[in-house]
Each structure stands twice: as structure tokens, then as C-alpha cells.
Amino acid sequence: MKILVWDLPTRLFHWLLALSFALAYLSAEKGNWLEVHVFSGYLMLGLLAFRLAWGFVGARYARFSSFRFSCKEGFDYLQQVIAGTPRRYLGHNPAGSWAVYLLLTLAFLVGSSGLFTLAGQEGLGPLAAWVPYASAKTFREIHEATVNAMLAMVILHLAGVALESWRHRENLAQAMLTGSKEGKPEAAISSRHLFSALSLLAAVIAGGAWYFSSAAVAAREGNAGDKIMRSIDPRETPLRITETPYWQGKHRHIAASVWRSHAVGARANCIACHHNAEQGSFAASAMPREVAAKAALH
Ligand code: HEC
């Protein structure tokens, strides 16, 4: 018979984590979408904090103690899968458990390196006061490397789910949606934990509302001057804005042909691309779409 295995908070966590990763991935490297990118990063870190706690106090199959397998058990299980005779587990199987732990660790590294990059590169976020511009590049590289590792793990995880579902003739993705799997009644968890699920959802919605309405987001438009200033090494004060590390970092993707084009002519012709430059606004959102797209393409 069908029994409840995955409690509601665990399922919510799972799909919200997938959503936050997808959202962050798709909004990366797009100036207009930095707010969404950063928000999905905060969401990811918030979800991780929840999952860590839920791993100790949550429902039976969500607890870390229910999926504590050794490396050897993980590999043995993989061998069984390859041989076509994997043992069936109601909760996480040994290989899946390792995927969970690796994914949680990677998500933490992705989120925290993102916070450091945001602080170093843009002077924003909770770490802004502690991370100098000069270290932004290193954090950015760590951020990108951990993202790629996480993407690889996500793909492995999807492959594992597909393989398992096929071997055991049961749809595991659907089980993560509905929470139920085929099993003996005494193996079921007793409650869906509706209250905890609603609290998690409320926290996510409140966090999102707070973030998108906060002054931090609005202030981003106007402080190009501060961002440029903090990128300057005081020992080598540049004469031109276009020689500052921040300016060069932001314009590194623009091809020489764009600078030489009739419409632009020179790097200092800020207003050719930033139509609101005279009002002090350089945000990509204050740039004609064609220009942003064209400049990014070259
Ligand atoms: C050829 C077009 C072009 C010219 C000319 C240009 N920029 Fe930009 N600028 C861009 C593009 C494209 C971006 C990146 C947008 C993004 O993806 O964030 C950008 C980003 C910026 C940013 C970062 C905005 C943010 O909030 O992320 C600042 C500040 C900026 N430019 C200042 C200047 C200044 C000052 C000048 C003149 C000295 C100038 N730009 C000249 C195209 C241009």
C-alpha cells in the first residue's frame, strides 16, 4: 500500500532548493537581474539553515540519523545498481545520502562564496565592510567553480533518480512531490508536519517581501561613485574613471569594435550607453535594452 515517507517540509525544501538554484543560475551574469540572483542566493542559504535543523528534529526519513551511511556502503550500493540488483530503501539509499550531503555542502559553498563576491565586487550585502574589492576576483572564481561542481552533482542526482526509478519501477520524482511510496503501514511517518511546512513557506515569503522592498535594493541604482571609489588602490590613484578596476571589470565583455563604433566613439562617452548618466544612474536597468544586449554579446 501507499504510505507517507517524505514529510511536507522536506518536500517543500527540496523543490524550493531546486527552484533557487535554477533561478540563481539563470539570473547570473545579467546586470538587470542582480537582485533576483542575490535573492535566490539568500533563499538558498535560508533553506540550508532550515534543512540542517530539520535533519535533527524533523520526521523520521528526513533525519540525518536515518541516512548515515559509510563511504563503503555508498560504493557497495552503486555496485548493486550497476549489477541490476539494488536493495530498496524507503528513505534515502546509501548513494543518494552521499548525494544529499554533497549537494548541501556545495549549496553552502555556492551561497557563501556568492556573499563574498557580492561584498567584494559591489560593496553590497552583510559582508560589504570586510571584503576589499581586490579579493572579489578570487571569490568570484571560487563561486563559479563551486557552482559548476554543484551543477554536475545536480545532473548526477537526476541521473541517479532516473536509474533508480527504472530499476525499482517506481517514480521517485513523483514520490518527492506527493510524499508517498509503496511500503508496509508500520514504516510510514505519522504526520505531514503541516505546521512546520507553513512556517517554512511563511518565512520564505516574508524574506522575499522584505528583500525586494528594502532600501538595499533601491540604493543599488545610485551609488556607482562609491563602487568605483572603493575599487581604487590608494597608492595608484588613476586619472580617469575608465582606468579604475571597477569600471574595467564592469566593461570587460565589451568588444573593441563597440568602443570604436560611430554611436560610442570613446570609452568616456558614458551617455552613449548609460542614458541616465547625467542623473548619476549607471545601473543596467537604466540602459536601453539594445545597448545592454549588444554590449554583452560582443
Ligand atoms: C559601450 C557602452 C558603454 C559605455 C560607453 C559605458 N558603459 Fe558602463 N556599462 C556598459 C555595460 C554593458 C555595463 C554592464 C551592465 C551589466 O551587465 O551590469 C556597464 C556597467 C556600468 C556600471 C555598473 C552598473 C551596475 O550597477 O552594475 C557603471 C558604474 C558604469 N557602467 C559606468 C560607466 C561610466 C562612468 C562610463 C563612462 C566613463 C561608462 N560606463 C561607459 C556599457 C557602457
Side-chain angles (χ1 to χ4, degrees):
M1 66 180 280
K2 283 271 185 194
I3 57 164
L4 191 63
V5 174
W6 304 123
D7 57 275
L8 202 53
T10 300
R11 283 179 272 153
L12 259 180
F13 160 82
H14 175 272
W15 294 112
L16 283 172
L17 186 73
L19 181 80
S20 68
F21 182 75
L23 207 60
Y25 200 88
L26 295 175
S27 60
E29 298 274 352
K30 294 192 178 64
N32 278 336
W33 289 84
L34 186 70
E35 280 90 356
V36 175
H37 185 73
V38 171
F39 168 70
S40 31
Y42 283 140
L43 177 59
M44 192 181 249
L45 287 173
L47 287 170
L48 282 178
F50 161 79
R51 188 62 184 92
L52 208 62
W54 201 242
F56 293 101
V57 301
R60 177 165 162 197
Y61 299 103
R63 288 187 191 216
F64 298 132
S65 56
S66 80
F67 56 103
R68 216 168 38 200
F69 295 101
S70 68
C71 258
K72 186 177 174 309
E73 285 170 299
F75 281 116
D76 287 351
Y77 184 82
L78 280 182
Q79 276 179 344
Q80 293 170 21
V81 171
I82 292 165
T85 54
R87 220 189 104 188
R88 182 168 179 272
Y89 290 80
L90 257 185
H92 293 293
N93 68 56
S97 309
W98 278 98
V100 172
Y101 290 124
L102 264 169
L103 273 170
L104 293 182
T105 309
L106 282 169
F108 174 75
L109 292 177
V110 166
S112 47
S113 62
L115 276 185
F116 278 92
T117 309
L118 180 72
Q121 188 175 304
E122 306 291 336
L124 294 175
L127 306 177
W130 290 283
V131 189
Y133 184 87
S135 62
K137 195 161 169 276
T138 312
F139 286 119
R140 200 189 165 99
E141 282 163 4
I142 297 174
H143 191 51
E144 284 166 6
T146 48
V147 167
N148 288 335
M150 188 163 167
L151 182 65
M153 259 328 281
V154 167
I155 292 170
L156 264 177
H157 167 64
L158 292 178
V161 168
L163 190 64
E164 270 259 323
S165 296
W166 173 61
R167 286 282 192 224
H168 289 127
R169 303 277 182 278
E170 70 175 334
N171 188 338
L172 289 178
Q174 193 185 333
M176 194 39 95
L177 269 174
T178 62
S180 45
K181 290 173 96 174
E182 212 51 58
K184 295 198 187 84
E186 62 271 23
I189 58 172
S190 54
S191 128
R192 303 164 70 81
H193 298 267
L194 197 62
F195 180 74
S196 306
L198 287 176
S199 314
L200 174 62
L201 210 55
V204 167
I205 293 171
W210 169 79
Y211 177 76
F212 282 106
S213 65
S214 71
V217 175
R220 192 182 156 251
E221 295 267 314
N223 59 3
D226 294 347
K227 292 180 180 182
I228 290 172
M229 286 311 289
R230 63 182 286 285
S231 80
I232 297 173
D233 180 342
R235 286 160 304 183
E236 314 171 20
T237 309
L239 293 173
R240 293 174 228 266
I241 253 186
T242 52
E243 289 168 359
T244 59
Y246 181 82
W247 193 93
Q248 293 182 343
K250 280 289 169 181
H251 297 85
R252 69 189 185 285
H253 293 310
I254 298 176
S257 59
V258 173
W259 298 119
R260 282 196 306 266
S261 69
H262 190 65
V264 179
R267 282 173 167 66
N269 189 13
C270 317
I271 205 150
C273 304
H274 300 284
H275 281 195
N276 291 350
E278 279 176 347
Q279 286 88 53
S281 174
F282 293 93
S285 50
M287 201 189 288
R289 257 174 211 287
E290 327 76 82
V291 176
K294 212 161 122 199
L297 264 179
H298 283 77

